[in-house]
């Protein structure tokens, strides 16, 4: 064989190799066959189907058809969306596999001006215009059941990847259980909009329904339940708001409702501002002194949840700024605006909330295995007596008496683990179901968060009511309802994945230094106050004696005090500046260790070895 | 197998015979640390994971791996050593594999020396260590892909600088495949399936999906095929160049 021939043969080989490479990588990528076999190395098995999801898929009665609309062409230049699309498609395939033929998945490309595009719009999918041509990108899911009921995920945001499984499971579950769920609201507070005026004497118009409930009525059948009701037969979820002195018969009924697997949501409060106590002309103080607390002690304590209706939570970190009587902005430590830091990120009902507002909330206690926190205060919080809050005109006093107790207080939580009935002997001749292994109970230690004034403003916009919310209280309630009226399987599925893993160490340092700062600040402020007071006294005594000339001693004293005042102020500034010093120092140390330490050690080793080698050579030379 | 072992040992010891290996490792360590901490804000963002560290690996490797790979074959060819090597009773593929594995091991050593980062995030918080292991594996596979390309290019030229530059360019293209600029370029004249094919050859998509924490057979196969194809191409190129 000539050399030339051999060479060209080799070149052909190279070409074949290139073709093999491209073909195989396309097949690997596009077929999806290879992604079936995967090892999930993440700690929380992010990519493995939850048992709850598998159960939901197993119990599909009639065919559910999932349509994934994805604009293939229009997303060519958006790899991020395409990658996520691949993930969703893989996941749907996985779902289909566990669906026993009852779940059908199809993928549709709604090209511009096509029938599919109209279909996508009809289902209510969201179209995002992207690219230079402003082409519409559809990336959503529309699912239908045998009754042609439709459930939609309008657009699959890559940022919501952590909740993909929950969203899809919920979608399938809803289609499988399409009837409207019934929510019973047991309360004396006028929240549903159908209540009579609180005080018939005042002749006011019937109270407007709170927007939370107006929103719930869109998806649920919301009914009022009398506070002396003893049967909750066709209710899926019972909401007990601000319960006061419920009769044993009613308590027994609630208890048995839960023992039989009913879903319960309880709102108790040490001081419900929304409770409207009628004024008594005979005793003007009665309105102020009225007990605005509520409790469900008999049931909650039996179930292992403690609630003290005389204590409220004050939190220095997550408080709201209000106007003081003097018109200056001050922090009201008992009216709180809770941000993401206070949420249990692993619980699905807290997902996508950014702010939750509460007013004079109480605190729930319970073992770790018993009470799963949903919302808790920061560590810069404490408990204080509720009663003085009625007369509190200047919230600064809260700030002055504040001393963080370094523990978080649970404001809302989920009951978990097996519970026992509070009526083991039954009641009034009725026997009781004794235990419930998977109770579905959420307890919230604030009633006010249900009320409009804490989270939403209704505006009249050309004759239409428009709501603009400044907190997510409504979304929180809707989340809990959606979650709790779903099946137990659905509740099992928790958010996963992108849950935050903060630097605990840094946070500890931050807390400590803030604590230290606050202490020093308090001491210094105290000193400053004393100094100023003494200065004032000295000057006043001067005025009283009506002497124009100060004694040298007095002058010296004044000078000394002024000096001290300056020093204290300087120290205060210093302390403030040092607040982040420790954290920055730790950062610098870590940067040094990670960037320079190993290179330095390596250099030392290399230099040492080089030196030894040259020594050895030298020795050999001498020999 | 024995041959490969011997070759790997010989190559590895030749790496550490000169200070260049140490310089390479030191540069890699400093750069990866600086990128992670100053560009990725690893400390300031307060999250116990190594995302900012691994995100920069493709771009770090883009320059450092070709520097390792450039001397694999060009040096041997330049010094004429290659004629000697080929006369030894060792299969050509053994040489290719041995040299590649040695270089890969060398990069692995550099990668392992970034262990203080893992300790740091574990000290600061509670990271997902499974995810970190997956990311290290992904990073190693990525380096392997770059090295295989470098090996082939190095076999094609006597000049190390040319080998370096060519490798950087090709690796860069493989990184960018799947990015809009490259795709648009091809879309102008090629049909859609070609564009899709190019997109699926991109290093980045596979690397990203491994660093998410799932070792997908598809991704591992991609890197496996990538390495195998380029190494086989290396042996063919050596064959072609033998006569010259």
């Amino acid at each position: 064989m000539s050399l030339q021939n051999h060479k060209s043969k080799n070149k052909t080989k190279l070409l074949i190799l290139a073709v093999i490479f491209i073909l195989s990588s396309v097949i690997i990528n596009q077929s999806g066959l290879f992604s079936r076999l995967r090892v999930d190395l993440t700690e929380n098995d992010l990519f493995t189907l939850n048992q709850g999801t598998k159960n939901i898929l197993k119990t599909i009665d009639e065919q559910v058809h999932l349509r994934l609309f994805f604009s293939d062409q229009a997303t060519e230049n958006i790899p991020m969306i395409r990658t996520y699309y691949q993930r969703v498609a893989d996941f749907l395939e996985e779902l289909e596999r566990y669906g026993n033929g009852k779940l059908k998945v199809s993928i549709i490309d709604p090209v511009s001006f096509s029938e599919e595009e109209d279909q996508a719009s009809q289902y209510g999918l969201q179209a995002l215009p992207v690219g230079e041509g402003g082409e519409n990108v559809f990336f959503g899911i529309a699912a239908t059941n045998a009754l042609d009921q439709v459930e939609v995920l309008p657009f699959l945001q890559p940022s919501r990847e952590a909740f993909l499984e929950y969203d899809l499971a919920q979608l399938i579950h809803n289609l499988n259980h399409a009837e409207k769920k019934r929510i019973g609201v047991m309360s004396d507070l006028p929240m549903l909009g159908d209540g009579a005026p609180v005080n018939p004497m005042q002749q006011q118009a019937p109270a407007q329904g709170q927007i939370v409930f107006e929103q719930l009525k869109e998806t649920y059948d919301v009914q009022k339940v009398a506070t002396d009701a003893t049967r909750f037969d066709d209710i899926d979820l019972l909401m007990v708001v601000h319960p006061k002195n419920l009769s044993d018969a009613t308590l027994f009924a609630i208890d048995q409702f839960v023992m039989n697997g009913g879903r319960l949501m309880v709102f108790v409060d040490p001081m419900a501002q929304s409770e409207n106590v009628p004024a008594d002309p005979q005793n003007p103080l009665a309105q102020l002194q009225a007990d605005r607390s509520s409790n469900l002690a008999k049931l909650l304590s039996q179930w292992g949840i403690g609630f003290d209706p005389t204590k409220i939570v004050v939190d220095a970190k997550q408080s709201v700024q209000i106007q003081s009587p003097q018109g200056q902005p001050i922090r009201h430590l008992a009216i709180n605006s809770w941000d993401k830091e206070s949420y249990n990120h692993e619980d699905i009902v807290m997902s996508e909330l950014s702010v939750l507002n509460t007013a004079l909330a109480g605190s729930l206690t319970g073992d770790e295995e018993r009470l799963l926190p949903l919302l808790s205060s920061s560590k810069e919080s404490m408990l204080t007596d509720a009663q003085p809050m009625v007369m509190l005109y200047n919230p600064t006093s809260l700030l002055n008496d504040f001393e963080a107790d370094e523990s978080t207080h649970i404001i809302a939580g989920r009951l978990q683990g097996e519970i026992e009935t509070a009526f083991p002997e039954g009641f009034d001749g009725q026997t009781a179901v004794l235990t419930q292994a998977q109770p579905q109970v959420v307890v919230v230690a604030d009633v006010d968060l249900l009320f409009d004034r804490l989270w939403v403003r209704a505006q009249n916009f050309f004759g239409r009511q428009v709501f603009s919310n400044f907190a997510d209280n409504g979304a929180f309630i809707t989340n809990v309802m959606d979650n709790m009226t779903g099946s137990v399987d659905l509740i099992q599925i928790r958010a996963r994945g992108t849950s935050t893993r903060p630097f605990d160490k840094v946070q500890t340092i931050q807390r400590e230094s803030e604590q230290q700062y606050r202490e020093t600040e308090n001491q210094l402020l105290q000193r400053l106050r004393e100094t100023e007071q003494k200065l004032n006294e000295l000057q006043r005594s001067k005025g009283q004696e009506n002497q124009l000339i100060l004694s040298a001693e007095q002058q010296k004293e004044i000078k000394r005090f002024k000096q001290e005042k300056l020093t204290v102020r300087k120290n205060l500034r210093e302390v403030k500046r040092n607040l982040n010093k420790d954290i920055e120092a730790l950062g610098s140390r870590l940067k040094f260790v990670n960037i320079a330490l190993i290179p330095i050690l390596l250099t030392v080793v290399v230099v040492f070895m080089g030196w030894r080698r040259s020594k050895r050579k030298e020795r050999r030379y001498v020999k | 197998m024995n041959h490969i072992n011997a070759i790997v040992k010989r190559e590895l010891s030749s790496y550490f015979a000169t200070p260049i290996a140490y310089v390479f490792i030191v540069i890699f360590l400093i750069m990866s640390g600086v990128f992670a901490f100053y560009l990725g804000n690893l400390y300031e963002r307060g999250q116990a994971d190594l995302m900012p560290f691994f995100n920069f690996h493709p771009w770090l490797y883009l320059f450092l791996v070709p520097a390792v790979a450039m001397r694999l074959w060009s040096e041997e060819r330049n010094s004429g050593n290659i004629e000697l090597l080929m006369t030894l009773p060792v299969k050509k593929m053994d040489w290719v594999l041995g040299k590649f594995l040695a270089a890969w091991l060398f990069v692995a050593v550099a990668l392992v020396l970034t262990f203080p980062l893992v300790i740091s995030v574990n000290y600061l918080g509670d990271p997902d260590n499974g995810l970190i292991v997956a990311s290290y594996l992904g990073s190693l596979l990525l380096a392997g892909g770059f090295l295989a390309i470098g090996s082939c290019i190095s076999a094609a030229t006597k000049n190390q600088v040319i080998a370096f530059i060519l490798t950087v360019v090709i690796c860069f293209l493989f990184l960018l495949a799947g990015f809009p600029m490259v795709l648009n370029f091809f879309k102008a004249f090629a049909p859609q399936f070609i564009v899709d094919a190019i997109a699926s050859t991109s290093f980045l998509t596979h690397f990203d999906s491994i660093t998410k924490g799932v070792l997908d057979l598809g991704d591992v196969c991609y890197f496996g095929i990538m390495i195998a194809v380029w190494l086989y191409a290396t042996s063919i190129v050596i064959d072609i160049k033998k006569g010259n």
Side-chain angles (χ1 to χ4, degrees):
Chain A
M1 193 175 12
S2 74
L3 195 64
Q4 207 57 41
N5 205 344
H6 184 71
K7 258 193 172 177
S8 69
K9 208 173 147 195
N10 268 332
K11 278 183 182 156
T12 333
K13 264 195 206 164
L14 276 184
L15 229 124
I16 293 171
L17 260 188
V19 172
I20 287 177
F21 169 67
I22 290 173
L23 271 183
S24 53
S25 52
V26 171
I27 289 168
I28 286 171
N29 230 31
Q30 308 292 323
S31 70
L33 283 173
F34 289 80
S35 44
R36 288 262 172 92
L37 245 177
R38 41 167 67 172
V39 192
D40 194 342
L41 288 174
T42 54
E43 219 168 274
N44 312 325
D45 286 341
L46 298 184
F47 298 91
T48 314
L49 274 198
N50 185 293
Q51 190 54 45
T53 315
K54 286 182 191 164
N55 291 345
I56 288 175
L57 290 169
K58 248 182 251 157
T59 53
I60 299 178
D61 303 327
E62 285 180 74
Q63 183 124 45
V64 169
H65 189 176
L66 274 179
R67 292 177 187 80
L68 171 61
F69 286 88
F70 179 67
S71 310
D72 200 33
Q73 289 243 312
T75 53
E76 258 158 26
N77 295 339
I78 321 171
M80 192 180 72
I81 295 246
R82 288 188 83 92
T83 319
Y84 186 46
Y85 158 73
Q86 201 56 52
R87 177 74 66 220
V88 174
D90 286 354
F91 195 76
L92 288 181
E93 206 177 308
E94 196 82 5
L95 289 180
E96 199 176 16
R97 214 144 55 106
Y98 282 95
N100 292 335
K102 289 290 174 71
L103 179 72
K104 192 179 155 205
V105 173
S106 43
I107 294 174
I108 300 167
D109 182 5
V111 192
S112 292
F113 307 111
S114 67
E115 216 168 284
E116 284 82 12
E117 191 185 18
D118 292 344
Q119 201 186 1
S121 306
Q122 266 168 15
Y123 280 128
L125 297 189
Q126 211 176 327
L128 291 189
V130 289
E132 298 118 43
E135 274 175 292
N136 276 341
V137 166
F138 284 97
F139 183 24
I141 290 176
T144 53
N145 60 9
L147 301 169
D148 269 338
Q149 282 162 319
V150 185
E151 287 273 330
V152 171
L153 295 176
F155 197 89
L156 301 169
Q157 299 281 0
S159 59
R160 219 184 132 77
E161 184 174 348
F163 305 112
L164 178 69
E165 182 173 13
Y166 179 83
D167 288 345
L168 287 171
Q170 191 183 33
L171 193 95
I172 295 167
H173 176 82
N174 286 350
L175 284 175
N176 206 20
H177 304 268
E179 69 285 356
K180 235 181 178 183
K181 297 278 188 205
R182 195 162 287 171
I183 294 175
V185 182
M186 177 191 274
S187 178
D188 279 332
L189 298 180
M191 297 180 301
L192 288 187
D194 47 7
V198 182
N199 182 358
M201 303 294 288
Q202 285 176 340
Q203 290 299 315
Q204 61 194 27
Q208 270 276 322
Q210 298 300 316
I211 291 167
V212 170
F213 293 98
E214 296 303 311
Q215 285 182 346
L216 283 180
K217 278 176 190 168
E218 285 169 19
T219 25
Y220 297 99
D221 180 4
V222 183
Q223 308 184 327
K224 197 172 166 64
V225 175
T227 43
D228 56 1
T230 53
R231 295 184 74 87
F232 312 110
D233 285 339
D234 38 356
I235 284 171
D236 295 295
L237 185 145
L238 180 64
M239 217 170 155
V240 178
V241 184
H242 209 42
K244 288 183 171 223
N245 313 319
L246 296 183
S247 70
D248 272 359
T250 305
L251 287 175
F252 176 68
I254 298 176
D255 178 89
Q256 285 306 300
F257 177 69
V258 174
M259 293 303 146
N260 284 309
R263 281 97 162 107
L264 175 69
M265 199 173 177
V266 182
F267 292 83
V268 287
D269 204 317
M271 173 73 52
Q273 292 191 311
S274 310
E275 185 179 346
N276 205 344
V277 181
D280 181 357
Q282 312 288 298
N283 180 7
L285 272 181
Q287 197 178 17
L288 285 176
Q289 286 164 346
D291 178 19
R292 289 161 199 262
S293 71
S294 55
N295 200 351
L296 203 60
K298 184 154 188 172
L299 300 186
L300 293 186
S301 60
Q302 172 64 26
W303 297 340
I305 297 182
F307 171 69
D308 184 349
T310 65
K311 297 281 185 203
I312 61 159
V313 176
V314 286
D315 190 304
K317 208 165 158 197
Q318 315 254 18
S319 49
V320 160
Q321 249 179 8
I322 61 164
Q323 253 187 1
S324 77
Q326 288 83 35
Q328 299 142 333
I330 40 163
R331 296 210 152 268
H332 195 309
L333 300 194
I335 298 182
N336 309 95
S337 203
W338 308 102
D339 65 16
K340 284 193 186 306
E341 276 178 49
S342 322
Y343 308 158
N344 177 353
H345 293 279
E346 279 160 31
D347 204 299
I348 204 97
V349 301
M350 304 309 286
S351 73
E352 305 228 323
L353 305 180
S354 44
V355 181
L356 266 185
N357 287 348
T358 64
L360 313 185
S363 139
L364 304 169
T365 52
D367 292 344
E368 224 171 274
E369 311 85 58
R370 183 53 82 196
L371 182 65
L372 183 78
L374 293 177
L375 175 68
S376 357
S377 70
S378 74
K379 288 208 169 172
E380 281 174 51
S381 64
M382 64 179 275
L383 295 180
T384 184
D385 282 332
Q387 202 47 44
M389 301 303 293
V390 187
M391 309 271 262
L392 185 77
Y393 291 111
N394 190 355
T396 347
S397 62
L398 282 176
L399 209 60
N400 293 340
D401 300 333
F402 182 76
E403 195 182 333
D405 58 10
E406 287 298 302
S407 55
T408 57
H409 300 281
I410 300 174
I411 291 163
R414 209 191 260 279
L415 191 62
Q416 55 181 7
E418 186 173 285
I419 55 170
E420 284 173 19
T421 172
F423 297 87
E425 267 108 50
F427 180 77
D428 204 13
Q430 302 170 61
T431 51
V433 178
L434 295 177
T435 56
Q436 169 57 252
Q438 281 187 306
Q440 305 297 338
V441 179
V442 167
V443 187
V444 181
D446 186 50
V447 167
D448 300 301
L449 94 165
L450 291 170
F451 283 78
D452 297 352
R453 62 190 178 84
L454 274 189
W455 70 279
V456 67
R457 258 184 296 266
Q459 284 162 328
N460 206 331
F461 186 74
F462 293 111
R464 261 180 66 203
Q465 284 250 302
V466 178
F467 304 129
S468 60
N469 59 320
F470 47 89
D472 299 325
N473 295 16
F476 168 63
I477 300 295
T478 316
N479 279 358
V480 176
M481 295 295 154
D482 287 353
N483 179 260
M484 287 185 69
T485 55
S487 71
V488 181
D489 293 324
L490 199 57
I491 298 167
Q492 263 187 45
I493 308 169
R494 295 281 150 87
R496 23 156 91 191
T498 47
S499 66
T500 54
R501 291 169 176 270
F503 284 163
D504 308 322
K505 194 86 192 168
V506 176
Q507 288 184 343
T508 318
I509 297 174
Q510 196 158 21
R511 267 198 301 276
E512 274 166 14
S513 67
E514 270 170 11
Q515 174 78 10
Q516 218 175 359
Y517 165 71
R518 194 145 295 116
E519 271 166 25
T520 332
E521 190 190 32
N522 276 343
Q523 282 169 9
L524 288 175
L525 281 176
Q526 185 65 29
R527 243 175 76 195
L528 196 67
R529 237 172 277 147
E530 279 166 17
T531 314
E532 271 171 350
Q533 209 173 349
K534 278 182 194 160
L535 206 63
N536 283 344
E537 267 168 30
L538 215 60
Q539 264 159 354
R540 209 178 305 136
S541 69
K542 175 191 84 179
Q544 272 167 3
E545 286 165 19
N546 211 6
Q547 287 174 337
L548 282 171
I549 305 158
L550 289 168
S551 68
E553 194 191 349
Q554 271 176 322
Q555 262 179 343
K556 216 174 92 188
E557 196 72 347
I558 288 177
K559 205 173 166 193
R560 198 175 65 82
F561 282 142
K562 278 187 176 159
Q563 195 59 43
E564 190 170 341
K565 196 171 151 182
L566 279 178
T567 332
V568 169
R569 278 181 181 282
K570 201 175 145 207
N571 286 345
L572 212 56
R573 276 200 302 274
E574 192 82 2
V575 170
K576 212 168 217 168
R577 215 181 359 237
N578 287 346
L579 197 58
N580 285 324
K581 210 181 63 185
D582 290 339
I583 296 174
E584 278 160 22
L586 176 65
S588 315
R589 269 204 302 279
L590 280 177
K591 281 172 192 167
F592 170 76
V593 168
N594 284 301
I595 296 171
L597 187 65
I598 297 283
I600 289 174
L601 287 178
L602 264 180
T603 316
V604 170
V605 168
V606 170
V607 169
F608 175 74
M609 273 170 37
W611 173 76
R612 237 184 39 179
R613 206 176 297 158
S614 67
K615 265 272 151 98
R616 217 179 292 151
K617 259 188 203 160
E618 225 171 79
R619 229 175 290 145
R620 226 177 287 154
Y621 182 71
V622 171
K623 268 182 195 168
Chain B
M1 214 51 218
N2 273 339
H3 289 299
I4 297 181
N5 259 342
I7 295 168
V8 169
K9 268 185 202 152
R10 166 194 179 262
E11 287 285 316
L12 260 185
S13 62
S14 84
Y15 277 121
F16 290 100
T18 61
I20 292 174
Y22 297 102
V23 171
F24 171 85
I25 290 179
V26 165
I27 289 178
F28 174 75
L29 292 178
I30 292 180
M31 294 283 271
S32 63
V34 167
F35 280 4
F37 277 99
Y38 291 98
L39 291 182
N41 285 332
L42 191 137
Y43 184 69
E44 286 76 12
R45 66 197 266 281
Q47 284 295 313
D49 59 39
L50 288 181
M51 278 270 285
F53 171 64
F54 287 110
N55 277 346
F56 289 106
H57 277 202
W59 309 105
L60 258 175
Y61 288 153
L62 184 56
F63 292 97
L64 291 176
V65 171
V68 177
M70 66 184 186
R71 53 174 292 283
L72 282 181
W73 292 101
S74 354
E75 207 184 0
E76 309 276 15
R77 262 164 46 81
N78 200 23
S79 59
N81 234 351
I82 194 158
E83 310 294 337
L84 180 70
L85 294 185
M86 289 304 137
T87 55
L88 292 174
V90 175
K91 268 189 258 159
K92 195 169 52 200
M93 208 52 211
D94 286 354
W95 278 110
V96 174
L97 266 178
K99 275 174 168 288
F100 168 77
L101 284 179
W104 206 10
L105 265 176
F106 173 70
V107 176
V109 168
L111 204 54
V112 165
L113 284 176
T114 59
F115 69 92
L117 268 171
V118 182
I119 299 175
S120 299
V121 285
N122 273 293
Y123 166 77
L124 287 170
D126 171 33
D128 188 338
N129 283 315
L131 188 79
I132 292 178
V133 169
S135 304
Y136 266 109
L137 275 175
S139 178
L140 196 61
L141 285 173
L142 182 72
F146 278 32
L147 268 177
I149 295 176
S151 158
C152 182
I153 305 295
S154 163
T157 168
K158 278 184 187 177
N159 188 328
Q160 293 198 18
V161 178
I162 293 177
F164 173 80
I165 292 169
L166 267 178
T167 310
V168 169
V169 169
I170 292 179
C171 290
F172 187 56
L173 287 180
F174 269 106
L175 274 185
L176 284 191
F179 270 67
M181 326 176 222
V182 182
L183 290 183
N184 277 338
F185 170 74
F186 283 103
K187 217 165 33 181
F189 55 87
Q192 184 60 38
F193 72 93
I194 300 251
V195 179
D196 265 349
I198 292 164
S200 62
T201 56
S202 171
F203 271 135
L204 268 187
T205 44
H206 297 278
F207 175 67
D208 283 348
S209 90
I210 293 181
T211 50
K212 271 194 175 169
V214 183
L215 214 52
D216 192 309
L217 184 68
D219 296 325
V220 177
C221 277
Y222 165 82
F223 281 111
I225 290 171
M226 182 87 180
I227 292 170
V229 162
W230 281 98
L231 287 186
Y232 191 55
T234 310
S235 79
I236 296 176
V237 168
I238 292 170
D239 228 19
I240 293 176
K241 294 278 171 179
K242 202 158 57 179
N244 295 1

